[in-house]
Amino acid sequence: MDPVPKVHVKEANDHLQRMFARVMELEDLTKQQAAKVASRDEELERLRAIRKELDEKDKLIADLREKLTSSEAMVKRLVAEVKERDASTAALKEKAKHFDCILDSRDTLERVVESLRLYDRERLEGSSEDSGVSVGMGQEEQKDVEN
């Protein structure tokens, strides 16, 4: 066997060194790309978390809008009720004024009613002795009116 010429050994060693350098270069490139992939995965995970949070916020906003619409409808209904009650209250106040006026005149009206009763009684009894109408009321007559 012939010994391998030194030139071939040197060429083989140079080739091995270039291959070793290229392997190291490729390993560095692989590590860089792995780091980039990991970084992108983390960013993708953050984006997914943000998307999930946005979806939750959108749902919350939709729920709040629905509640707002419902509340506005209730407010309109209550405002209408208040207006209706205000109108009713105004009518009742007007009636109360009339009743107050009638109550202020109660004594006079009671005397008139009693006088009419006396007049009817006297007329029915055929009594012609007293032709005048009594305006005042006695104690018994007041008791009759109160009952």
Side-chain angles (χ1 to χ4, degrees), residues 63-133:
D63 290 345
L64 290 173
R65 282 187 176 145
E66 186 177 317
K67 285 180 182 180
L68 177 63
T69 301
S70 173
S71 295
E72 286 173 342
M74 184 187 306
V75 166
K76 285 180 182 178
R77 183 180 54 80
L78 291 173
V79 165
E81 255 183 58
V82 166
K83 285 180 181 179
E84 185 179 310
R85 287 184 182 181
D86 285 348
S88 177
T89 301
L92 290 173
K93 283 182 180 179
E94 188 63 30
K95 286 181 180 180
K97 284 181 189 177
H98 293 297
F99 284 128
D100 285 343
C101 184
I102 290 170
L103 287 175
D104 288 344
S105 305
R106 182 177 179 196
D107 290 337
T108 304
L109 291 173
E110 286 176 348
R111 281 191 233 126
V112 168
V113 168
E114 186 56 33
S115 294
L116 291 173
R117 283 185 188 153
L118 286 174
Y119 175 75
D120 281 345
R121 210 180 297 152
E122 288 176 1
R123 193 180 53 129
L124 290 174
E125 292 174 359
S127 169
S128 61
E129 297 172 21
D130 188 17
S131 63
V133 175

Side-chain angles (χ1 to χ4, degrees), residues 23-50:
V23 167
M24 294 302 278
E25 189 180 304
L26 290 174
E27 282 180 358
D28 284 345
L29 184 61
T30 302
K31 286 178 185 177
Q32 289 173 4
Q33 288 181 350
K36 284 182 183 178
V37 167
S39 174
R40 286 184 180 164
D41 284 348
E42 288 174 7
E43 188 172 335
L44 181 62
E45 201 54 42
R46 278 194 306 265
L47 290 174
R48 283 184 182 146
I50 290 170

